[in-house]
Amino acid sequence: MNKGRLIGTGMTAEVYEWGKDKVLKLFFSGISQKWIKNEAQIGKWVHEAGVPSPAVFGMVEVEKRKGIIFERIAGKTMFGDVQAEPWKLFYYAQKLAKFQYRIHRYRVQKLPSQKERFSLRIKSTYETLGDRTEKILAYLESLPDGSSVCHGDFHFNNIIVSGDRLVPIDWTNAYQGNPLGDVARTCLMMLSPSKPPTIPDILTPMLQYSKWLIFWTYLNEYMGLSKAGFRDIDAWILPAAASKLCDKIPGEEKWLMDIIDKRLKK
């Protein structure tokens, strides 16, 4: 079968139509085969456990590039819906929290451990963190473990709204562990100072204020459902910020380092 229309492009791959009911995630040539196999395997484990997610139909090679065939989920991302109907933003912030809480109630023992995931990402940013690295890793080990399924990159652009159901995509970073670490990463993504280049600097204060409102709407909803306290979630911000450095999002490094240094002083 030949790949169809290009649907989207991400940091590691392009997504194409593949027949009527599937998509091809076709990875760029620089992405290792080990990484691709890992994503396919995690996707299978999660889907077979009943977690809302696209089915995985296997790996292929197209135009000398490796790819994964996924079930096609009809619909828009939450972010796409919000762009079309911005008045739904706070409704979706609450819905995101409710859905994430639901995901965290699943268990998949085959998934990598949370502390393994965090440790590898933190160690990969040693050039930036320097001697902070060992302190952060030691702190990470002191945090409570868990066994929840965690998406690892849970945000508006990774959730498809398909009729009356929600389906998370891009399970590459999934792990099992304490769900509050997953919540901490989502909080950081919501508060990130990065902004689209199309938004003028004069609107930055308004954008950041909106982010704070979305953040508190989401966080209050999750805390209400889980009965977790703010301090319990805040305890995960240090390792979540350190591991987020390797995302290399423009405009984030100084902000993340300020968060890290402030918490290390405590």
Side-chain angles (χ1 to χ4, degrees):
M1 187 182 294
N2 295 320
K3 62 181 172 59
R5 180 176 61 91
L6 177 68
I7 299 172
T9 303
M11 294 179 68
T12 61
E14 296 168 324
V15 179
Y16 292 90
E17 293 177 338
W18 189 261
K20 293 181 179 179
D21 58 353
K22 298 179 180 69
V23 295
L24 166 65
K25 185 172 183 178
L26 192 59
F27 291 84
F28 299 126
S29 55
I31 306 301
S32 72
Q33 188 165 340
K34 182 180 178 182
W35 173 278
I36 299 166
K37 283 184 176 179
N38 180 67
E39 179 169 344
Q41 186 62 77
I42 287 176
K44 282 185 179 180
W45 286 336
V46 167
H47 186 74
E48 288 169 1
V51 182
S53 59
V56 180
F57 296 103
M59 294 175 59
V60 295
E61 184 169 319
V62 177
E63 298 169 358
K64 298 182 179 180
R65 291 161 62 187
K66 302 292 182 183
I68 306 172
I69 307 299
F70 288 101
E71 172 191 5
R72 182 170 188 174
I73 308 297
K76 289 184 191 176
T77 63
M78 272 192 178
F79 183 71
D81 255 17
V82 167
Q83 282 185 311
E85 301 175 296
W87 54 89
K88 287 186 175 181
L89 187 54
F90 297 103
Y91 162 77
Y92 273 132
Q94 289 180 311
K95 206 168 181 67
L96 189 77
K98 290 175 183 176
F99 191 44
Q100 191 173 26
Y101 177 70
R102 178 184 159 200
I103 297 289
H104 288 159
R105 299 176 77 177
Y106 285 89
R107 302 290 183 268
V108 181
Q109 293 183 351
K110 295 178 181 178
L111 290 176
S113 76
Q114 178 178 47
K115 289 181 178 178
E116 175 189 343
R117 280 280 199 220
F118 274 56
S119 294
L120 287 172
R121 289 172 64 91
I122 291 167
K123 288 174 183 176
S124 74
T125 60
Y126 180 82
E127 286 189 7
T128 303
L129 290 171
D131 61 5
R132 302 174 184 86
T133 306
E134 292 305 319
K135 295 176 185 177
I136 297 168
L137 292 173
Y139 174 76
L140 173 63
E141 285 302 316
S142 74
L143 291 171
D145 291 313
S147 56
S148 294
V149 169
C150 298
H151 182 275
D153 202 21
F154 205 79
H155 57 81
F156 289 137
N157 227 11
N158 270 343
I159 313 295
I160 301 290
V161 181
S162 182
D164 60 354
R165 69 182 182 132
L166 301 177
V167 183
I169 57 172
D170 196 3
W171 284 85
T172 312
N173 298 303
Y175 56 81
Q176 59 172 324
N178 190 314
L180 303 188
D182 200 30
V183 172
R185 177 172 168 83
T186 298
C187 289
L188 287 171
M189 287 188 285
M190 286 183 167
L191 294 173
S192 170
S194 67
K195 65 179 181 65
T198 53
I199 295 180
D201 290 342
I202 196 171
L203 294 179
T204 299
M206 186 182 297
L207 177 64
Q208 288 305 118
Y209 179 68
S210 298
K211 287 182 177 182
W212 269 101
L213 291 177
I214 296 161
F215 158 73
W216 279 112
T217 302
Y218 157 82
L219 191 58
N220 282 326
E221 186 69 26
Y222 191 92
M223 289 192 296
L225 292 166
S226 66
K227 309 305 178 189
F230 178 81
R231 288 186 179 180
D232 300 323
I233 296 169
D234 190 67
W236 282 91
I237 291 293
L238 173 59
S243 68
K244 197 176 190 313
L245 280 169
C246 67
D247 292 347
K248 299 186 185 302
I249 305 296
E252 277 195 358
E253 184 175 310
K254 183 182 182 303
W255 172 67
L256 289 170
M257 290 303 295
D258 287 346
I259 291 172
I260 291 164
D261 287 334
K262 181 179 177 181
R263 278 164 173 73
L264 282 175
K265 285 178 182 177
K266 291 183 180 180

